[in-house]
Amino acid sequence: MSCKQVEIVSSNPAFERRSFAVQRVGWCGMVGVIMLAALGLFGRGPLSARSVSDAAGDVRVDFERFLRTGAQHSWRCSIGGAGSGAQVEVNQAYLDEMEDVQITPAPVRQHAGPATVTYEFAARPGAITVEFRARPRGAGTVHCQLIVVGGEQASRSLAFSQFVYP
Amino acid sequence: MDAIVRVVVMYAFMLLVFRLAGKRTLGEATIFDFLLLLVISETTQQALLGDDPSLTHSMLAIVTFLTLNIGMSLVKQRSPAIERLLEDAPTLIVRDGQMLEDRMNRARVDREDILEAARRSHGLCRFEEIRHAVLERTGEISIVPRTPDG
């Protein structure tokens, strides 16, 4: 290959250097994204795992802070000392943002109020753990407000927010 | 996290399977090879994305695939032994006009494949016009034609 041909092929070394530098930065960014994803920034993982509980520590909800549109997620509500059954009231606005809602154990009864849906669960010895599985319909922040009846106290209110990626 | 694990497992699996399948498998793709590739990609897509149709999940899978591939290329660049292990080495299949049939059989290449490559790359019609032929790592056959002085 003659010198003239080399000049034609590689006519802008400064641009090439910049381009390679940008590529290297991009590679580091990609590795960073993967590490953050592994830690749970885009879904399951330590960064995403959160829990809220009432003042007495009787009711506890374990949930994921980061969700993805259309991907199933779940949160678990543990109600201590619910020997006479339990009720979990979920705000309608939250349910409107979800589809394919499944609840385990299946509630014995459910009824809708003006802005909430109440699920009633049968009595069982020890704590009741309710698992709520659903798929978010769209991106954005969703707010869940729960009123839990059962256990030692009359009713407890818990709230948490989740961010849904597109 | 789930997306990353799926991609890493699938990448390693495909690397192994295509390495075991040999150079000729998809190197010179026929229509059937092309169909096979489509079926493989469809199956891979299902395994990678599962029931998560989100944009974020797809983008994460793509970033993980590309990063793995860049990482592998850097490793291969630094270690010829790993490069040979992962990508095989070029195989001489015709030397000085003589077919090396043992190697051709092992690589699943026949005389017609060599002639086809010679026609495509150099417009050669007779086997006698070929001096050397090499099965490259990409699965393509490179032809070195005979010069007038032999």
Side-chain angles (χ1 to χ4, degrees), chain B residues 97-121:
Chain B
Q98 294 296 310
M99 287 193 291
L100 304 173
E101 292 194 12
D102 195 32
R103 291 180 182 196
M104 285 170 59
N105 289 338
R106 277 204 300 264
R108 286 170 287 146
V109 176
D110 59 25
R111 186 186 156 94
E112 282 309 311
D113 294 324
I114 298 169
L115 278 171
E116 186 182 326
R119 281 196 301 275
R120 280 173 190 266
S121 58

PDB file of all heavy atoms in Angstrom, chain B residues 97-121:
ATOM      1  N   GLY B  97      -1.547 -26.938  -4.970  1.00  0.00           N
ATOM      2  CA  GLY B  97      -2.465 -27.601  -5.901  1.00  0.00           C
ATOM      3  C   GLY B  97      -2.909 -28.979  -5.453  1.00  0.00           C
ATOM      4  O   GLY B  97      -3.721 -29.615  -6.111  1.00  0.00           O
ATOM      5  N   GLN B  98      -2.398 -29.454  -4.318  1.00  0.00           N
ATOM      6  CA  GLN B  98      -2.749 -30.792  -3.829  1.00  0.00           C
ATOM      7  C   GLN B  98      -3.784 -30.670  -2.711  1.00  0.00           C
ATOM      8  O   GLN B  98      -3.564 -29.953  -1.735  1.00  0.00           O
ATOM      9  CB  GLN B  98      -1.503 -31.504  -3.262  1.00  0.00           C
ATOM     10  CG  GLN B  98      -0.439 -31.819  -4.296  1.00  0.00           C
ATOM     11  CD  GLN B  98      -0.946 -32.820  -5.335  1.00  0.00           C
ATOM     12  OE1 GLN B  98      -1.496 -33.860  -4.985  1.00  0.00           O
ATOM     13  NE2 GLN B  98      -0.776 -32.477  -6.608  1.00  0.00           N
ATOM     14  N   MET B  99      -4.904 -31.377  -2.887  1.00  0.00           N
ATOM     15  CA  MET B  99      -5.918 -31.355  -1.839  1.00  0.00           C
ATOM     16  C   MET B  99      -5.415 -32.150  -0.631  1.00  0.00           C
ATOM     17  O   MET B  99      -4.902 -33.264  -0.796  1.00  0.00           O
ATOM     18  CB  MET B  99      -7.215 -31.995  -2.335  1.00  0.00           C
ATOM     19  CG  MET B  99      -7.963 -31.116  -3.310  1.00  0.00           C
ATOM     20  SD  MET B  99      -9.623 -31.705  -3.570  1.00  0.00           S
ATOM     21  CE  MET B  99      -9.331 -33.220  -4.443  1.00  0.00           C
ATOM     22  N   LEU B 100      -5.569 -31.557   0.549  1.00  0.00           N
ATOM     23  CA  LEU B 100      -5.211 -32.265   1.786  1.00  0.00           C
ATOM     24  C   LEU B 100      -6.493 -32.901   2.302  1.00  0.00           C
ATOM     25  O   LEU B 100      -7.225 -32.321   3.111  1.00  0.00           O
ATOM     26  CB  LEU B 100      -4.603 -31.284   2.794  1.00  0.00           C
ATOM     27  CG  LEU B 100      -3.389 -30.495   2.279  1.00  0.00           C
ATOM     28  CD1 LEU B 100      -2.957 -29.428   3.264  1.00  0.00           C
ATOM     29  CD2 LEU B 100      -2.234 -31.438   1.985  1.00  0.00           C
ATOM     30  N   GLU B 101      -6.776 -34.099   1.769  1.00  0.00           N
ATOM     31  CA  GLU B 101      -8.118 -34.672   1.947  1.00  0.00           C
ATOM     32  C   GLU B 101      -8.460 -34.997   3.390  1.00  0.00           C
ATOM     33  O   GLU B 101      -9.617 -34.897   3.797  1.00  0.00           O
ATOM     34  CB  GLU B 101      -8.268 -35.903   1.061  1.00  0.00           C
ATOM     35  CG  GLU B 101      -8.267 -35.493  -0.387  1.00  0.00           C
ATOM     36  CD  GLU B 101      -8.743 -36.585  -1.314  1.00  0.00           C
ATOM     37  OE1 GLU B 101      -9.279 -37.585  -0.821  1.00  0.00           O
ATOM     38  OE2 GLU B 101      -8.558 -36.420  -2.527  1.00  0.00           O
ATOM     39  N   ASP B 102      -7.433 -35.374   4.120  1.00  0.00           N
ATOM     40  CA  ASP B 102      -7.666 -35.694   5.527  1.00  0.00           C
ATOM     41  C   ASP B 102      -8.242 -34.480   6.256  1.00  0.00           C
ATOM     42  O   ASP B 102      -9.247 -34.561   6.972  1.00  0.00           O
ATOM     43  CB  ASP B 102      -6.327 -36.116   6.151  1.00  0.00           C
ATOM     44  CG  ASP B 102      -6.539 -36.803   7.469  1.00  0.00           C
ATOM     45  OD1 ASP B 102      -7.581 -37.461   7.611  1.00  0.00           O
ATOM     46  OD2 ASP B 102      -5.684 -36.648   8.367  1.00  0.00           O
ATOM     47  N   ARG B 103      -7.597 -33.332   6.029  1.00  0.00           N
ATOM     48  CA  ARG B 103      -8.058 -32.090   6.684  1.00  0.00           C
ATOM     49  C   ARG B 103      -9.422 -31.664   6.129  1.00  0.00           C
ATOM     50  O   ARG B 103     -10.269 -31.170   6.864  1.00  0.00           O
ATOM     51  CB  ARG B 103      -7.067 -30.961   6.425  1.00  0.00           C
ATOM     52  CG  ARG B 103      -5.752 -31.171   7.127  1.00  0.00           C
ATOM     53  CD  ARG B 103      -4.846 -30.026   6.820  1.00  0.00           C
ATOM     54  NE  ARG B 103      -3.552 -30.222   7.447  1.00  0.00           N
ATOM     55  CZ  ARG B 103      -2.668 -29.259   7.597  1.00  0.00           C
ATOM     56  NH1 ARG B 103      -2.935 -28.047   7.162  1.00  0.00           N
ATOM     57  NH2 ARG B 103      -1.520 -29.487   8.159  1.00  0.00           N
ATOM     58  N   MET B 104      -9.584 -31.853   4.804  1.00  0.00           N
ATOM     59  CA  MET B 104     -10.858 -31.458   4.187  1.00  0.00           C
ATOM     60  C   MET B 104     -12.015 -32.265   4.775  1.00  0.00           C
ATOM     61  O   MET B 104     -13.086 -31.725   5.055  1.00  0.00           O
ATOM     62  CB  MET B 104     -10.794 -31.657   2.675  1.00  0.00           C
ATOM     63  CG  MET B 104      -9.972 -30.585   1.978  1.00  0.00           C
ATOM     64  SD  MET B 104      -9.649 -30.964   0.256  1.00  0.00           S
ATOM     65  CE  MET B 104     -11.270 -31.112  -0.421  1.00  0.00           C
ATOM     66  N   ASN B 105     -11.775 -33.562   4.979  1.00  0.00           N
ATOM     67  CA  ASN B 105     -12.833 -34.406   5.543  1.00  0.00           C
ATOM     68  C   ASN B 105     -13.176 -33.980   6.958  1.00  0.00           C
ATOM     69  O   ASN B 105     -14.349 -33.909   7.333  1.00  0.00           O
ATOM     70  CB  ASN B 105     -12.400 -35.880   5.546  1.00  0.00           C
ATOM     71  CG  ASN B 105     -12.376 -36.437   4.139  1.00  0.00           C
ATOM     72  OD1 ASN B 105     -13.032 -35.899   3.244  1.00  0.00           O
ATOM     73  ND2 ASN B 105     -11.594 -37.482   3.920  1.00  0.00           N
ATOM     74  N   ARG B 106     -12.117 -33.700   7.709  1.00  0.00           N
ATOM     75  CA  ARG B 106     -12.363 -33.304   9.109  1.00  0.00           C
ATOM     76  C   ARG B 106     -13.127 -31.985   9.174  1.00  0.00           C
ATOM     77  O   ARG B 106     -13.972 -31.794  10.035  1.00  0.00           O
ATOM     78  CB  ARG B 106     -11.035 -33.177   9.854  1.00  0.00           C
ATOM     79  CG  ARG B 106     -10.518 -34.507  10.376  1.00  0.00           C
ATOM     80  CD  ARG B 106      -9.579 -34.292  11.550  1.00  0.00           C
ATOM     81  NE  ARG B 106      -8.430 -33.483  11.180  1.00  0.00           N
ATOM     82  CZ  ARG B 106      -7.257 -33.971  10.821  1.00  0.00           C
ATOM     83  NH1 ARG B 106      -7.083 -35.284  10.774  1.00  0.00           N
ATOM     84  NH2 ARG B 106      -6.264 -33.182  10.502  1.00  0.00           N
ATOM     85  N   ALA B 107     -12.809 -31.075   8.230  1.00  0.00           N
ATOM     86  CA  ALA B 107     -13.464 -29.754   8.242  1.00  0.00           C
ATOM     87  C   ALA B 107     -14.774 -29.742   7.451  1.00  0.00           C
ATOM     88  O   ALA B 107     -15.413 -28.708   7.340  1.00  0.00           O
ATOM     89  CB  ALA B 107     -12.513 -28.715   7.677  1.00  0.00           C
ATOM     90  N   ARG B 108     -15.128 -30.889   6.898  1.00  0.00           N
ATOM     91  CA  ARG B 108     -16.365 -31.034   6.097  1.00  0.00           C
ATOM     92  C   ARG B 108     -16.368 -30.086   4.887  1.00  0.00           C
ATOM     93  O   ARG B 108     -17.341 -29.399   4.617  1.00  0.00           O
ATOM     94  CB  ARG B 108     -17.601 -30.808   6.983  1.00  0.00           C
ATOM     95  CG  ARG B 108     -17.876 -31.965   7.914  1.00  0.00           C
ATOM     96  CD  ARG B 108     -18.936 -31.612   8.916  1.00  0.00           C
ATOM     97  NE  ARG B 108     -18.433 -30.703   9.910  1.00  0.00           N
ATOM     98  CZ  ARG B 108     -19.151 -29.751  10.493  1.00  0.00           C
ATOM     99  NH1 ARG B 108     -20.401 -29.576  10.155  1.00  0.00           N
ATOM    100  NH2 ARG B 108     -18.622 -28.970  11.404  1.00  0.00           N
ATOM    101  N   VAL B 109     -15.241 -30.056   4.201  1.00  0.00           N
ATOM    102  CA  VAL B 109     -15.124 -29.245   2.985  1.00  0.00           C
ATOM    103  C   VAL B 109     -14.846 -30.205   1.834  1.00  0.00           C
ATOM    104  O   VAL B 109     -14.048 -31.134   1.983  1.00  0.00           O
ATOM    105  CB  VAL B 109     -13.940 -28.258   3.104  1.00  0.00           C
ATOM    106  CG1 VAL B 109     -13.741 -27.487   1.827  1.00  0.00           C
ATOM    107  CG2 VAL B 109     -14.173 -27.306   4.267  1.00  0.00           C
ATOM    108  N   ASP B 110     -15.515 -30.006   0.696  1.00  0.00           N
ATOM    109  CA  ASP B 110     -15.201 -30.860  -0.437  1.00  0.00           C
ATOM    110  C   ASP B 110     -14.658 -30.028  -1.603  1.00  0.00           C
ATOM    111  O   ASP B 110     -14.595 -28.796  -1.535  1.00  0.00           O
ATOM    112  CB  ASP B 110     -16.402 -31.729  -0.841  1.00  0.00           C
ATOM    113  CG  ASP B 110     -17.616 -30.894  -1.206  1.00  0.00           C
ATOM    114  OD1 ASP B 110     -17.426 -29.729  -1.608  1.00  0.00           O
ATOM    115  OD2 ASP B 110     -18.746 -31.401  -1.084  1.00  0.00           O
ATOM    116  N   ARG B 111     -14.281 -30.740  -2.665  1.00  0.00           N
ATOM    117  CA  ARG B 111     -13.664 -30.102  -3.826  1.00  0.00           C
ATOM    118  C   ARG B 111     -14.574 -29.018  -4.408  1.00  0.00           C
ATOM    119  O   ARG B 111     -14.096 -27.962  -4.824  1.00  0.00           O
ATOM    120  CB  ARG B 111     -13.415 -31.228  -4.859  1.00  0.00           C
ATOM    121  CG  ARG B 111     -12.660 -30.837  -6.086  1.00  0.00           C
ATOM    122  CD  ARG B 111     -12.659 -32.039  -7.035  1.00  0.00           C
ATOM    123  NE  ARG B 111     -12.458 -31.599  -8.404  1.00  0.00           N
ATOM    124  CZ  ARG B 111     -11.284 -31.541  -8.989  1.00  0.00           C
ATOM    125  NH1 ARG B 111     -10.207 -31.906  -8.341  1.00  0.00           N
ATOM    126  NH2 ARG B 111     -11.180 -31.122 -10.233  1.00  0.00           N
ATOM    127  N   GLU B 112     -15.892 -29.290  -4.395  1.00  0.00           N
ATOM    128  CA  GLU B 112     -16.843 -28.315  -4.955  1.00  0.00           C
ATOM    129  C   GLU B 112     -16.838 -27.006  -4.177  1.00  0.00           C
ATOM    130  O   GLU B 112     -16.962 -25.927  -4.758  1.00  0.00           O
ATOM    131  CB  GLU B 112     -18.265 -28.912  -4.953  1.00  0.00           C
ATOM    132  CG  GLU B 112     -18.519 -29.903  -6.067  1.00  0.00           C
ATOM    133  CD  GLU B 112     -18.140 -29.348  -7.439  1.00  0.00           C
ATOM    134  OE1 GLU B 112     -18.570 -28.214  -7.748  1.00  0.00           O
ATOM    135  OE2 GLU B 112     -17.401 -30.024  -8.176  1.00  0.00           O
ATOM    136  N   ASP B 113     -16.707 -27.122  -2.854  1.00  0.00           N
ATOM    137  CA  ASP B 113     -16.658 -25.908  -2.018  1.00  0.00           C
ATOM    138  C   ASP B 113     -15.450 -25.056  -2.394  1.00  0.00           C
ATOM    139  O   ASP B 113     -15.536 -23.823  -2.457  1.00  0.00           O
ATOM    140  CB  ASP B 113     -16.568 -26.275  -0.532  1.00  0.00           C
ATOM    141  CG  ASP B 113     -17.815 -26.970  -0.016  1.00  0.00           C
ATOM    142  OD1 ASP B 113     -18.910 -26.607  -0.480  1.00  0.00           O
ATOM    143  OD2 ASP B 113     -17.689 -27.870   0.830  1.00  0.00           O
ATOM    144  N   ILE B 114     -14.334 -25.722  -2.625  1.00  0.00           N
ATOM    145  CA  ILE B 114     -13.095 -24.993  -2.960  1.00  0.00           C
ATOM    146  C   ILE B 114     -13.244 -24.338  -4.327  1.00  0.00           C
ATOM    147  O   ILE B 114     -12.897 -23.171  -4.521  1.00  0.00           O
ATOM    148  CB  ILE B 114     -11.883 -25.953  -2.927  1.00  0.00           C
ATOM    149  CG1 ILE B 114     -11.712 -26.506  -1.516  1.00  0.00           C
ATOM    150  CG2 ILE B 114     -10.616 -25.238  -3.380  1.00  0.00           C
ATOM    151  CD1 ILE B 114     -10.729 -27.641  -1.406  1.00  0.00           C
ATOM    152  N   LEU B 115     -13.799 -25.087  -5.276  1.00  0.00           N
ATOM    153  CA  LEU B 115     -13.993 -24.530  -6.622  1.00  0.00           C
ATOM    154  C   LEU B 115     -14.959 -23.342  -6.592  1.00  0.00           C
ATOM    155  O   LEU B 115     -14.763 -22.343  -7.280  1.00  0.00           O
ATOM    156  CB  LEU B 115     -14.520 -25.618  -7.558  1.00  0.00           C
ATOM    157  CG  LEU B 115     -13.450 -26.549  -8.135  1.00  0.00           C
ATOM    158  CD1 LEU B 115     -14.093 -27.719  -8.856  1.00  0.00           C
ATOM    159  CD2 LEU B 115     -12.503 -25.796  -9.062  1.00  0.00           C
ATOM    160  N   GLU B 116     -15.999 -23.457  -5.760  1.00  0.00           N
ATOM    161  CA  GLU B 116     -16.957 -22.363  -5.655  1.00  0.00           C
ATOM    162  C   GLU B 116     -16.275 -21.103  -5.113  1.00  0.00           C
ATOM    163  O   GLU B 116     -16.466 -19.998  -5.631  1.00  0.00           O
ATOM    164  CB  GLU B 116     -18.105 -22.771  -4.723  1.00  0.00           C
ATOM    165  CG  GLU B 116     -19.211 -21.740  -4.670  1.00  0.00           C
ATOM    166  CD  GLU B 116     -20.324 -22.132  -3.701  1.00  0.00           C
ATOM    167  OE1 GLU B 116     -20.605 -23.337  -3.564  1.00  0.00           O
ATOM    168  OE2 GLU B 116     -20.890 -21.223  -3.086  1.00  0.00           O
ATOM    169  N   ALA B 117     -15.456 -21.297  -4.064  1.00  0.00           N
ATOM    170  CA  ALA B 117     -14.734 -20.152  -3.496  1.00  0.00           C
ATOM    171  C   ALA B 117     -13.775 -19.562  -4.532  1.00  0.00           C
ATOM    172  O   ALA B 117     -13.627 -18.333  -4.631  1.00  0.00           O
ATOM    173  CB  ALA B 117     -13.966 -20.600  -2.257  1.00  0.00           C
ATOM    174  N   ALA B 118     -13.148 -20.428  -5.344  1.00  0.00           N
ATOM    175  CA  ALA B 118     -12.204 -19.954  -6.369  1.00  0.00           C
ATOM    176  C   ALA B 118     -12.939 -19.156  -7.449  1.00  0.00           C
ATOM    177  O   ALA B 118     -12.446 -18.125  -7.915  1.00  0.00           O
ATOM    178  CB  ALA B 118     -11.487 -21.162  -6.998  1.00  0.00           C
ATOM    179  N   ARG B 119     -14.122 -19.639  -7.835  1.00  0.00           N
ATOM    180  CA  ARG B 119     -14.922 -18.910  -8.830  1.00  0.00           C
ATOM    181  C   ARG B 119     -15.337 -17.555  -8.295  1.00  0.00           C
ATOM    182  O   ARG B 119     -15.236 -16.532  -8.962  1.00  0.00           O
ATOM    183  CB  ARG B 119     -16.186 -19.714  -9.182  1.00  0.00           C
ATOM    184  CG  ARG B 119     -15.983 -20.850 -10.145  1.00  0.00           C
ATOM    185  CD  ARG B 119     -17.314 -21.304 -10.726  1.00  0.00           C
ATOM    186  NE  ARG B 119     -18.272 -21.755  -9.721  1.00  0.00           N
ATOM    187  CZ  ARG B 119     -18.319 -22.990  -9.228  1.00  0.00           C
ATOM    188  NH1 ARG B 119     -17.444 -23.897  -9.634  1.00  0.00           N
ATOM    189  NH2 ARG B 119     -19.228 -23.319  -8.332  1.00  0.00           N
ATOM    190  N   ARG B 120     -15.817 -17.545  -7.051  1.00  0.00           N
ATOM    191  CA  ARG B 120     -16.323 -16.304  -6.461  1.00  0.00           C
ATOM    192  C   ARG B 120     -15.224 -15.269  -6.282  1.00  0.00           C
ATOM    193  O   ARG B 120     -15.405 -14.102  -6.586  1.00  0.00           O
ATOM    194  CB  ARG B 120     -16.916 -16.583  -5.068  1.00  0.00           C
ATOM    195  CG  ARG B 120     -18.293 -17.155  -5.067  1.00  0.00           C
ATOM    196  CD  ARG B 120     -18.652 -17.515  -3.634  1.00  0.00           C
ATOM    197  NE  ARG B 120     -19.863 -18.288  -3.562  1.00  0.00           N
ATOM    198  CZ  ARG B 120     -21.063 -17.761  -3.360  1.00  0.00           C
ATOM    199  NH1 ARG B 120     -21.197 -16.468  -3.256  1.00  0.00           N
ATOM    200  NH2 ARG B 120     -22.123 -18.516  -3.291  1.00  0.00           N
ATOM    201  N   SER B 121     -14.091 -15.707  -5.729  1.00  0.00           N
ATOM    202  CA  SER B 121     -13.075 -14.721  -5.344  1.00  0.00           C
ATOM    203  C   SER B 121     -12.140 -14.340  -6.487  1.00  0.00           C
ATOM    204  O   SER B 121     -11.690 -13.200  -6.544  1.00  0.00           O
ATOM    205  CB  SER B 121     -12.260 -15.246  -4.156  1.00  0.00           C
ATOM    206  OG  SER B 121     -11.655 -16.473  -4.489  1.00  0.00           O
TER     207      SER B 121
END
